[in-house]
Amino acid sequence: MLDKLKKMIDEKFAQAPSPEAVKKAIAEGQIWKSIFRHGYPDTPRNRVMAVLSNLFLHLHPVKARHSGVKMSYTWCMGGLSFFLFLNLTVTGILLMFYYRPTAEYAYYDIVALREHVPLGIMREIHRWGAHAMVIAVWLHMFRVFMTGSYKPPREFNWVIGVVLLVITLLLSFTGYLLPWDQLAMWAITVGTNMARATPFMGYEGPGASMIQIGGVHLVHGGSDIHFALLGGHFVSEATLIRFYVLHCVVVPIVAATLMAIHFWRVRKDGGISGPL
Amino acid sequence: MHYILDAIDFVLQPWSYFLFSVIAFWAMIKYRETWTEPAFAVKLLWGAIGAIVFSMVYSDHFREIASLPDNVPIFLMVFSVGFFTWLSFRQGVLNDRRIAQGQPPIEKETSDKKVYVWPDLVYVEFIATIVGGIVLLVWSLCLHAPLEQAATPAWTPNPSKAPWYFLGLQEMLVYYDPWLAGVVYPTLILVGLMAIPYIDKNPKGAGYYTFNERKLAIIPFLFGFFILWVTLIFLGTFMRGPGWNFFGPYENWDPHKVVVLNNVNLSEYIWVRILGIGLPANFLIREMWGFLAVGAYLVALPPLLTKKIPLCQELLEKLGVARYGVLMFLFLSMASLPIKMVLRWLINLKYVIAIPEIFFNI
Ligand code: HEM
């Protein structure tokens, strides 16, 4: 009885199509082709097509220097920075579902996120991802420097990179305020206090007292750059909404735009650098 | 055991911390052939891990600070910067040996070969994504994001610290006023970084790891990154307590610690202590020594150096006047931080130029 069953199963399996054949059938089928516009990428032609006919993959060239795709060369740090950015975008959107940027609600929404939302770790992913992104971007810059990859023709992409570094820090900094706890409020207070001392533009900055018309000071505590940044004399609810808008809208848009330029330039400048 | 901890606390002061990090930096450059050997590097790694475990076990204070959730990334930073420094120096050292023998760098062996991005690059990216995703997920499951009490303007925590990645700037506030430490220097750092490709005219060392071919670029860059950024973040996290006073890494943060502040301005040094005539009323005259010093440092020093130091002469010839001028300005600006630190420690110098009347203190 058992033997019979075994035999039957064996026979059935022998008749079944091989995994290769299944793969082929799927990759040659109408559905696959309609989505990807080419067969399974195991032939040179289809590998070229895989990159060219995919909006996301076409950020890449079709072929790349062998030395440049090695992990020991790039450390994958640029790619990881980008991956973390995408991660932060997704978790950030989830957080926006729950969070209201007002002094009344902000803190309690964050508490609720931990207490009441099932599997509520998107705040953790978002926060640790943000820290990790700062580190990844530094390391990426470090590797670009150590391989001398800023040398011609890549000078300008390095400059774009420096701006991306600033943007990354700004993203992290504006986000730091949003939990609206003591840690947030005072770290932002310490950080933004500097703005008061901006030369000419902050009221405690050198030269500010010289900007006056007929004895009336134009740069004072209620008109300087510190006030503009905070929407007041202190970190307050007005600051919260400013930082929220900067953090969720303005800075990410700038970041995404600059990243697009950055990646495009990597290709235009001849792909990842390598020895001549 | 507490004798050892106390001894470390006693030895570590801002000046000795700086001195030790500079010595370590010098040794890193000088003995790169030795420490980049994998066997040696593993010992260094164990040493670092050992030091941290030791500190965590024997010092409650250190453990408390180190395990604040927002300080955990600092360890990630320290270890990853350490590892990647090793990785880049290792490859640089190996390449330098090859170049010395007239061979091309290792990267050259595969750089002429082109591979298909699908699958050769896409799968690397895929693996990196998965590994990165898993690490992030585990980290997030294990460690709660910090949340303190609700914000209140009524109670200021002491110490109040900026987010960790800005602690280098906050540390600079000890030595320079906010307009410099918080505005001018950050701007100069960014401008300086952006200027690197336009100043570094050395055609060698593009697209592969090397040290010997790019010494002049690598040493100042790493000095800034390691000594003036990473180690200052570490110091700001573990050794700055209430009132931004300095504490040893194992020393309890006593909010009542009193530090004698007897810093003296340059103008007082000269007018009062040396010339003995008292401070002049007009602040431009009062601060003329400071203006002279700063002017000499930024304007007279660069041309003077070309006369005295052959290397500077060489740079001037290679780069031309404009590039040399910009390079020197940026370099001297960077050097002004350690110089001010040393002057503070040696002669308690407060300000070189002190015009609080218009918030202009240097
Ligand atoms: C949000 C921040 C950033 C992202 C997402 C990013 C992403 C990338 C990626 C994916 C690459 C391809 C090669 C690689 O992965 O190493 C790259 C290359 C490059 N990046 Fe970035 N980057 C960022 C910031 C920076 C910074 C801060 C700098 C320098 C200051 C920089 C300068 C460069 C340069 C010069 C290249 C070309 C390198 C070569 O050809 O070898 N980037 N970047």
Side-chain angles (χ1 to χ4, degrees):
Chain A
M1 178 66 193
L2 210 66
D3 279 349
K4 231 177 164 181
L5 196 67
K6 264 189 185 159
K7 222 173 127 203
M8 211 176 84
I9 293 175
D10 280 349
E11 272 167 13
K12 282 279 172 227
F13 263 94
Q15 289 167 8
S18 68
E20 291 301 311
V22 174
K23 201 166 89 180
K24 206 163 174 226
I26 295 176
E28 235 100 276
Q30 189 187 359
I31 297 179
W32 176 285
K33 283 235 163 125
S34 72
I35 300 174
F36 295 106
R37 307 182 65 231
H38 57 75
Y40 188 77
D42 54 0
T43 61
R45 181 179 178 278
N46 281 345
R47 285 179 174 173
V48 172
M49 292 291 287
V51 173
L52 284 186
S53 59
N54 181 305
L55 176 72
F56 303 103
L57 288 179
H58 100 285
L59 283 174
H60 300 94
V62 169
K63 285 176 140 197
R65 261 191 207 97
H66 191 192
S67 61
V69 304
K70 290 194 174 165
M71 266 193 177
S72 60
Y73 187 72
T74 63
W75 312 343
C76 258
M77 277 305 155
L80 271 180
S81 309
F82 183 53
F83 165 68
L84 287 166
F85 179 75
L86 293 179
N87 232 308
L88 289 163
T89 311
V90 174
T91 49
I93 289 172
L94 289 176
L95 287 171
M96 285 172 82
F97 289 161
Y98 294 94
Y99 174 86
R100 287 163 291 180
T102 62
E104 193 182 346
Y105 295 125
Y107 179 74
Y108 298 97
D109 285 347
I110 298 283
V111 174
L113 207 58
R114 173 187 288 179
E115 307 282 322
H116 306 311
V117 179
L119 267 180
I121 63 162
M122 61 268 203
R123 177 162 175 247
E124 273 71 20
I125 300 183
H126 198 75
R127 192 176 188 101
W128 303 139
H131 285 309
M133 183 171 166
V134 170
I135 299 172
V137 172
W138 289 0
L139 290 173
H140 171 56
M141 178 165 98
F142 182 34
R143 111 65 197 153
V144 170
F145 183 86
M146 293 306 275
T147 54
S149 303
Y150 56 79
K151 300 195 176 196
R154 296 183 179 79
E155 304 103 306
F156 192 64
N157 215 16
W158 168 272
V159 176
I160 296 173
V162 177
V163 181
L164 275 170
L165 171 80
V166 181
I167 293 289
T168 308
L169 292 175
L170 279 182
L171 271 174
S172 204
F173 186 68
T174 49
Y176 216 88
L177 181 65
L178 303 185
W180 203 241
D181 63 345
Q182 282 288 77
L183 190 64
M185 179 178 218
W186 292 98
I188 300 307
T189 302
V190 169
T192 49
N193 267 343
M194 310 284 157
R196 284 207 299 250
T198 313
F200 301 109
M201 291 189 288
Y203 81 104
E204 285 178 358
S209 55
M210 282 154 32
I211 304 178
Q212 46 172 301
I213 296 176
V216 180
H217 287 285
L218 295 185
V219 179
H220 52 78
S223 76
D224 70 342
I225 190 166
H226 178 255
F227 191 92
L229 195 63
L230 298 190
H233 291 281
F234 313 100
V235 173
S236 64
E237 185 163 27
T239 322
L240 184 59
I241 190 78
R242 273 178 202 215
F243 274 44
Y244 178 75
V245 173
L246 288 174
H247 184 76
C248 302
V249 183
V250 181
V251 193
I253 289 178
V254 177
T257 313
L258 283 172
M259 279 180 202
I261 303 177
H262 192 61
F263 300 158
W264 185 73
R265 281 298 297 247
V266 171
R267 285 197 53 185
K268 291 289 150 183
D269 294 340
I272 299 195
S273 56
L276 283 179
Chain B
M1 209 35 88
H2 69 267
Y3 291 115
I4 301 184
L5 300 183
D6 287 350
I8 295 177
D9 282 342
F10 179 75
V11 171
L12 277 186
Q13 296 294 328
W15 65 269
S16 58
Y17 179 82
F18 181 75
L19 187 68
F20 290 142
S21 46
V22 172
I23 293 175
F25 182 74
W26 171 82
M28 176 188 93
I29 302 285
K30 169 100 179 163
Y31 299 109
R32 58 185 182 279
E33 296 267 345
T34 316
W35 67 264
T36 51
E37 286 302 324
F40 196 95
V42 169
K43 281 187 200 144
L44 284 182
L45 177 65
W46 280 121
I49 294 177
I52 287 174
V53 170
F54 169 85
S55 311
M56 293 274 218
V57 171
Y58 289 106
S59 165
D60 295 339
H61 169 76
F62 186 88
R63 188 170 58 247
E64 194 187 310
I65 303 293
S67 47
L68 288 177
D70 262 8
N71 288 345
V72 171
I74 295 182
F75 289 106
L76 180 70
M77 175 194 67
V78 169
F79 279 97
S80 58
V81 166
F83 172 74
F84 286 112
T85 307
W86 174 79
L87 188 60
S88 55
F89 267 74
R90 172 74 183 160
Q91 298 184 76
V93 163
L94 292 180
N95 275 343
D96 286 342
R97 279 185 207 152
R98 291 169 63 105
I99 293 167
Q101 292 165 0
Q103 289 172 303
I106 304 173
E107 286 87 345
K108 182 75 190 166
E109 283 182 358
T110 49
S111 68
D112 293 331
K113 204 178 123 207
K114 292 254 180 164
V115 292
Y116 284 106
V117 161
W118 182 293
D120 288 275
L121 177 56
V122 174
Y123 97 89
V124 176
E125 291 174 345
F126 186 64
I127 292 173
T129 309
I130 292 188
V131 174
I134 290 177
V135 169
L136 197 56
L137 204 61
V138 171
W139 185 3
S140 303
L141 284 170
C142 295
L143 192 67
H144 265 311
L147 191 64
E148 296 183 353
Q149 284 162 8
T152 161
W155 179 65
T156 313
N158 188 9
S160 278
K161 292 190 180 184
W164 62 270
Y165 37 83
F166 286 148
L167 285 184
L169 299 176
Q170 203 174 351
E171 178 64 17
M172 224 191 290
L173 280 174
V174 176
Y175 306 96
Y176 284 110
D177 271 15
W179 73 278
L180 283 169
V183 184
V184 174
Y185 278 99
T187 312
L188 282 177
I189 295 173
L190 296 173
V191 171
L193 283 173
M194 290 184 192
I196 289 176
Y198 304 97
I199 293 177
D200 179 2
K201 292 263 92 184
N202 176 4
K204 284 192 195 151
Y208 54 94
Y209 290 95
T210 169
F211 181 83
N212 287 348
E213 294 192 331
R214 299 178 52 221
K215 279 184 192 151
L216 278 187
I218 292 180
I219 293 175
F221 180 86
L222 290 189
F223 185 85
F225 185 39
F226 292 165
I227 306 291
L228 301 182
W229 195 250
V230 173
T231 57
L232 288 190
I233 289 175
F234 195 80
L235 179 129
T237 309
F238 293 104
M239 292 170 234
R240 288 293 180 183
W244 204 251
N245 282 326
F246 187 89
F247 291 85
Y250 311 117
E251 196 180 337
N252 277 327
W253 287 0
D254 172 6
H256 305 295
K257 176 169 175 167
V258 180
V259 179
V260 195
L261 283 181
N262 49 2
N263 297 331
V264 180
N265 292 331
L266 183 70
S267 47
E268 189 177 332
Y269 258 116
I270 297 186
W271 289 114
V272 181
R273 300 206 181 173
I274 298 179
L275 299 177
I277 34 183
L279 292 175
N282 183 315
F283 63 67
L284 288 179
I285 301 180
R286 185 185 74 210
E287 300 303 328
M288 62 185 247
W289 309 110
F291 281 113
L292 278 177
V294 174
Y297 182 70
L298 285 180
V299 182
L301 197 56
L304 193 70
L305 285 177
T306 62
K307 302 275 180 313
K308 298 284 172 204
I309 304 180
L311 179 68
C312 290
Q313 179 62 29
E314 206 181 297
L315 275 175
L316 177 64
E317 276 159 22
K318 267 198 204 141
L319 301 180
V321 178
R323 281 203 179 84
Y324 176 80
V326 174
L327 170 67
M328 274 299 153
F329 174 71
L330 292 169
F331 181 77
L332 291 174
S333 306
M334 178 167 117
S336 66
L337 175 62
I339 289 177
K340 182 90 186 267
M341 289 172 155
V342 171
L343 287 175
R344 174 69 56 84
W345 298 324
L346 287 182
I347 61 168
N348 289 321
L349 181 71
K350 190 170 182 198
Y351 292 124
V352 181
I353 299 177
I355 314 182
E357 292 90 334
I358 54 165
F359 298 111
F360 189 80
N361 302 319
I362 294 181

